[in-house]
DNA sequence: CCTACCGATCGGTAGG
DNA sequence: CCTACCGATCGGTAGG
């Protein structure tokens, strides 16, 4: 849906709270109430924006990574597809999950609950892939899958920060260095 | 100044954009225009809030770390004091630099410039301490100080995320694990 | 520091 | 989908 795609892109720039119905209507060349009629409340619009982000994330990051063989190759594919996702032109401000996770961290409600469940899924997926890599004997036996997910995720947060705030031209190679260090330390 | 301390705490929760003069006045039991008279504009208030954060950061994190001996001990002290900072009761929503860095990433202006210079200083300080650790021969010769700062900082971002959004009770020990992995890999 | 006010914008509604 | 409107709140000002 065109409305949700525009809203997703806008939210990645200004956050969920920074999105206003009036401004979004202007971007879409619609009247405010015409746009509002599609949603029952602003919160519902924001929830659908988050859900749109989840759907796209599955298509752009998760599904392609699952094409790669289990173990290290799959984890490498996951990381590379995440980097592409973070630079997607349809996300003007980068990964919406990265940008909204600080915004919603201290704001209880349905939006926070939605983001939290998405993030728990994501962390669980990384940990499960690390567990598979251990089973395949790509990773050593003592590897802690949850700690692996923690460190994997910290690299994505850092990439968002260095590419978007610092605008470090080396952000990508730094992220890849970090990731390769993690893989090296995890290897059997 | 009491106004700036209340504003700092509030901003850590709701972000710089989420701060409103009317709401802040209510928290301080003042009239809106009485509070406004202390600042010439909302942006100036926000800038002073950020500056207040920088001042407190120096006192709480940087200065105490410089008491520790150069090299690995100083870097360990820096990390531990950062963890204490992130849990400070006067920062209701955690580290303001972590919470505002996503908010300001895509919003050009004086606020972004102020945060950016603070963050460049911070990253430069970490890199310089890593360079000193290399000189002291605590770290191996090939260590890249900028990459070290990148990874150090990514751990602080991850701690903010896991403790504030995920509310992972193990956030602290996970962060310390990450940090010790980094130190181990950097050792001479 | 205050009261009283400004125009603009907010989310949302009535009625079509 | 629209026009026209609601009360509340926004940043900011006048005048004291």
């Amino acid at each position: 849906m065109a409305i949700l795609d525009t809203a997703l892109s806008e939210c990645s720039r200004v956050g969920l709270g920074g999105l206003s119905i009036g401004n979004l209507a202007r971007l879409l060349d619609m009247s405010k109430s015409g746009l509002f009629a599609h949603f029952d409340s602003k919160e519902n619009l924001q929830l659908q924006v988050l859900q749109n982000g989840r759907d796209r994330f599955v298509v752009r990051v998760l599904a392609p990574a699952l094409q790669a063989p289990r173990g290290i190759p799959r984890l490498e594919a996951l990381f590379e597809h995440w980097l592409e996702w973070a630079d997607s032109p349809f996300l003007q401000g980068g990964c919406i999950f990265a940008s909204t996770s600080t915004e919603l961290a201290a704001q209880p409600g349905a939006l926070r609950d939605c983001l939290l469940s998405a993030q728990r899924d994501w962390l669980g997926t990384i940990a499960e892939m690390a567990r598979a890599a251990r089973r395949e004997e790509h990773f050593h036996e003592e590897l802690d899958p949850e700690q692996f997910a923690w460190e994997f995720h910290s690299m994505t947060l850092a990439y968002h920060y260095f590419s978007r705030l610092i605008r470090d031209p080396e952000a990508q190679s730094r992220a890849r260095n970090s990731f390769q260090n993690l893989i090296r330390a995890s290897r059997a």
Side-chain angles (χ1 to χ4, degrees), chain A:
Chain A
M1 194 211 251
I3 295 176
L4 289 177
D5 287 343
T6 303
L8 178 62
S9 182
E10 192 63 5
C11 276
S12 74
R13 251 181 12 96
V14 297
L16 284 163
L19 187 75
S20 90
I21 296 172
N23 190 50
L24 183 58
R26 213 173 306 121
L27 289 172
L28 290 158
D29 269 314
M30 288 174 70
S31 71
K32 210 178 72 168
S33 61
L35 190 153
F36 190 84
H38 290 279
F39 311 93
D40 294 329
S41 68
K42 188 188 179 184
E43 192 177 52
N44 185 39
L45 164 63
Q46 292 167 316
L47 280 168
Q48 290 193 45
V49 168
L50 274 180
Q51 189 57 53
N52 187 31
R54 287 184 80 155
D55 294 346
R56 281 174 166 275
F57 190 81
V58 169
V59 171
R60 293 273 193 151
V61 182
L62 223 55
L66 291 170
Q67 309 273 10
R70 243 181 273 272
I72 290 178
R74 185 168 292 179
L75 283 162
E76 284 175 332
L78 191 68
F79 192 72
E80 283 301 318
H81 285 293
W82 189 90
L83 287 179
E84 281 174 40
W85 155 264
D87 288 337
S88 300
F90 64 86
L91 294 170
Q92 274 188 80
C95 176
I96 4 104
F97 303 114
S99 56
T100 57
S101 63
T102 56
E103 182 185 359
L104 297 175
Q107 307 216 6
L111 287 174
R112 187 180 190 284
D113 295 345
C114 175
L115 177 66
L116 193 53
S117 94
Q119 294 293 279
R120 279 197 216 279
D121 281 359
W122 166 240
L123 292 165
T125 299
I126 302 169
E128 185 48 42
M129 286 193 192
R131 224 169 274 123
R134 199 176 54 185
R135 274 197 304 272
E136 300 284 323
E137 295 178 15
H138 294 181
F139 284 171
H140 58 75
E141 278 187 347
E142 297 79 24
L143 182 110
D144 178 343
E146 272 74 32
Q147 182 74 29
F148 184 93
W150 207 93
E151 302 198 9
F152 185 113
H153 190 68
S154 75
M155 288 163 198
T156 65
L157 295 175
Y159 180 72
H160 183 82
Y161 172 91
F162 280 93
S163 86
R164 298 288 168 169
L165 180 70
I166 306 291
R167 292 181 189 156
D168 181 351
E170 297 193 66
Q172 251 192 42
S173 63
R174 296 254 176 240
R176 290 202 178 100
N177 285 345
S178 269
F179 183 71
Q180 286 307 324
N181 289 343
L182 174 60
I183 294 293
R184 200 173 309 122
S186 308
R187 270 213 153 85

